[in-house]
Amino acid sequence: MATTNETADPVAKGILPTAKQSWRDLFIWKQRTVVTNDFGEEHTEWQDPDPLKNPISLLAQLGAKDWLYFIVGFCAWAADAFDFHALSIQTTKLAKYYHRTNTDITTAITLTLLLRSIGAAVFGLAGDRFGRKWPMVINMIILGLLQIATIYAATFQQFLAVRSLFGLFMGGVYGNAIAMALENCPTNARGLMSGILQQGYSFGYVIAACANLGVGGSTESWKTVFWIGAGISIGVGLIRICFPESKQFIEAKKAGKSAKAPGVFWIETKKMLRQEWKMCIYCVILMTWFNYYSHTSQDSYTTFMLTQKHLPNSPATRASILMKTGACVGGTIIGYLSQFFGRRRAIIVAAILSACMIPAWILPEGERSLSASGFFIQFFVQGAWGVIPIHLNELSPPAFRSSFPGITYQLGNMISSPSAQIVNAIAEGNLVRTNQGKLAPAYGPTMGIATAIIALGIATTTAFGPERRGRHFETVGPPIAVAVPKDIEEGHGASLDEKDGATALEVGDTPVVATK
């Protein structure tokens, strides 16, 4: 962002003032930015957006170690997606294997999404307190082991139990992965890198679909796909062991290693929630819309092609692969453009265009037409998603960039967890006549109406929400205490600013001093 030295009104406080200011700012090309000078004094000014740069030159700004962190974060997110979609794209196989309906099988998806928020809280806070490395290592290895446990689930009840436990550990991946991957990226490259990173999710779907295509359509073949997912997850965890902790986290830890107070992190966490509860609620609402957006438009799409469009397993899987290829392309391009056009403008335009694509998405017949329409709608669906990693990071309290995005994302996942079940239940309860004259579940109309409502919800919520594009957080680290009084360390109840004597704390890069 380029400074203009043009003073702007301060950032609004409160829900309605923030909504009004955000709506007005949407039609102002410049970005309202809070600037801190060398003396710690803050003022608000208008800044010009970064010009669009050659994406190759942006990629070249990352050093070898930056690329290492980014690639492993991308792979962790892709492995997480593979493990999840290994179930959703094989719903029909699993229904035959356990002698259940498709709706029954999607109960496992609901349970997985429902419990991910708990894992996000535990592993996200651990990532902010202890570093990104070991929480991610533990996450990935246990995810692989739970994929193997799913294979050996003899009954449907055991299957549901394992997938519930799977959800707990799956939830911890997102926050640590995006924090590790993005926190050292140059500011003007973040939009592009965010778009690429988010498409790790779509890339995981593509790999899972390719694996499903490779193993064929036999009922027992679902187990092979789960074996592949287990190998990928455990492999990423083992690779992460081989290189050090995030540079940003290490530097912040060194700065405060003279004295540490284990209780300070949790004190600061509570303080953050008290101060930022409105931002937390907003991001949870936004992530609820977004998770409904992706799960409603993709989880049942393969089933839609198999049942309502009468495609065999292989053509339906190929169409799914092309659909998510569009997601990878769209997320990267729109994430890149958001650096210039703005995070919120990019999300709003992508959401509205996806709604316009719905008739062309559900009405065609045949593999080629469905592949093309699926490609373009997911281009815009995941194009909007491509902005989310950096948008959440920029909205996050500085010292909580591992826990805040992960928790808000997974709480949104939890609220939207019944999405696949809802789509399947409504579709199976309403029949439509196909081009072959047969009655089939109404997956197309159900997904189309739901996606239209959700896309408009995303556009509206984003239009009235905040944006902090270009926020500088390269040097802001986790909460680390320096010179903390003994009675605080022992938990004797006094707040940090109420103790006698002088107490110096360093929270991220902001010194906080309490005196008599």
Side-chain angles (χ1 to χ4, degrees), residues 72 75-76 79 136-137 140 231-241:
V72 174
C75 290
M136 179 178 287
V137 170
M140 300 311 299
I232 294 173
S233 295
I234 294 173
V236 171
L238 295 177
I239 291 171
R240 183 64 185 92
I241 293 175

Side-chain angles (χ1 to χ4, degrees), residues 383-411:
W385 259 111
V387 186
I388 287 300
I390 190 57
H391 190 44
L392 281 184
N393 263 258
E394 289 171 338
L395 293 179
S396 298
F400 296 87
R401 287 197 313 276
S402 181
S403 54
F404 184 91
I407 291 171
T408 54
Y409 171 80
Q410 299 299 0
L411 282 173

Side-chain angles (χ1 to χ4, degrees), residues 437-456:
K438 300 177 181 178
L439 291 176
Y443 281 101
T446 303
M447 292 189 300
I449 294 170
T451 302
I453 294 170
I454 294 163
L456 294 177

Side-chain angles (χ1 to χ4, degrees), residues 77 80 116-129 132 170-183 194 197-198 248 265 269 272-273 276 279-288 290-291 385 387-414 468 471 473 476:
W77 186 219
D80 187 54
R116 283 170 72 171
S117 57
I118 300 174
V122 172
F123 285 96
L125 291 171
D128 284 326
R129 176 66 179 89
R132 321 299 190 214
M170 186 179 180
V173 175
Y174 185 77
N176 282 313
I178 69 169
M180 183 184 72
L182 292 178
E183 62 191 358
S194 172
L197 177 63
Q198 181 59 34
Q248 182 262 4
F265 178 80
T269 301
M272 180 272 289
L273 291 174
E276 301 283 350
M279 182 66 77
C280 290
I281 292 175
Y282 170 77
C283 289
V284 169
I285 293 171
L286 186 64
M287 288 298 94
T288 300
F290 263 96
N291 280 290
W385 259 111
V387 186
I388 287 300
I390 190 57
H391 190 44
L392 281 184
N393 263 258
E394 289 171 338
L395 293 179
S396 298
F400 296 87
R401 287 197 313 276
S402 181
S403 54
F404 184 91
I407 291 171
T408 54
Y409 171 80
Q410 299 299 0
L411 282 173
N413 242 330
M414 181 183 72
R468 295 177 183 172
R471 187 180 189 184
F473 48 59
V476 180

Side-chain angles (χ1 to χ4, degrees), residues 176-390:
N176 282 313
I178 69 169
M180 183 184 72
L182 292 178
E183 62 191 358
N184 291 316
C185 286
T187 303
N188 61 353
R190 287 187 197 146
L192 175 62
M193 302 311 292
S194 172
I196 296 172
L197 177 63
Q198 181 59 34
Q199 298 328 302
Y201 191 78
S202 299
F203 186 65
Y205 183 104
V206 170
I207 298 173
C210 289
N212 181 47
L213 182 63
V215 301
S218 65
T219 301
E220 293 279 344
S221 63
W222 70 268
K223 296 182 179 180
T224 305
V225 177
F226 275 68
W227 277 114
I228 295 170
I232 294 173
S233 295
I234 294 173
V236 171
L238 295 177
I239 291 171
R240 183 64 185 92
I241 293 175
C242 300
F243 63 95
E245 183 55 79
S246 168
K247 177 184 176 182
Q248 182 262 4
F249 187 88
I250 291 174
E251 288 179 350
K253 187 174 181 180
K254 285 181 179 178
K257 70 178 182 180
S258 57
K260 299 179 182 178
V264 168
F265 178 80
W266 304 109
I267 292 171
E268 288 302 320
T269 301
K270 294 176 184 176
K271 181 180 177 183
M272 180 272 289
L273 291 174
R274 286 198 302 270
Q275 294 178 347
E276 301 283 350
W277 65 271
K278 294 176 184 176
M279 182 66 77
C280 290
I281 292 175
Y282 170 77
C283 289
V284 169
I285 293 171
L286 186 64
M287 288 298 94
T288 300
W289 279 121
F290 263 96
N291 280 290
Y292 268 116
Y293 196 33
S294 57
H295 291 297
T296 299
S297 64
Q298 73 184 17
D299 287 356
S300 299
Y301 194 63
T302 303
T303 307
F304 158 70
M305 290 185 287
L306 292 171
T307 57
Q308 191 175 328
K309 300 299 181 179
H310 302 295
L311 291 184
N313 181 71
S314 292
T317 304
R318 288 195 296 267
S320 296
I321 292 170
L322 288 172
M323 174 185 75
K324 296 307 283 187
T325 302
C328 294
V329 176
T332 301
I333 292 175
I334 295 178
Y336 165 62
L337 293 176
S338 75
Q339 193 68 35
F340 178 67
F341 290 103
R343 314 296 185 208
R344 294 187 302 138
R345 293 188 192 99
I347 291 171
I348 291 167
V349 171
I352 292 174
L353 289 176
S354 72
C356 295
M357 284 291 302
I358 289 173
W361 174 49
I362 61 175
L363 295 178
E365 303 286 343
E367 179 186 349
R368 292 184 179 181
S369 299
L370 290 168
S371 297
S373 60
F375 179 97
F376 283 108
I377 194 166
Q378 286 299 324
F379 180 98
F380 293 113
V381 169
Q382 291 300 322
W385 259 111
V387 186
I388 287 300
I390 190 57

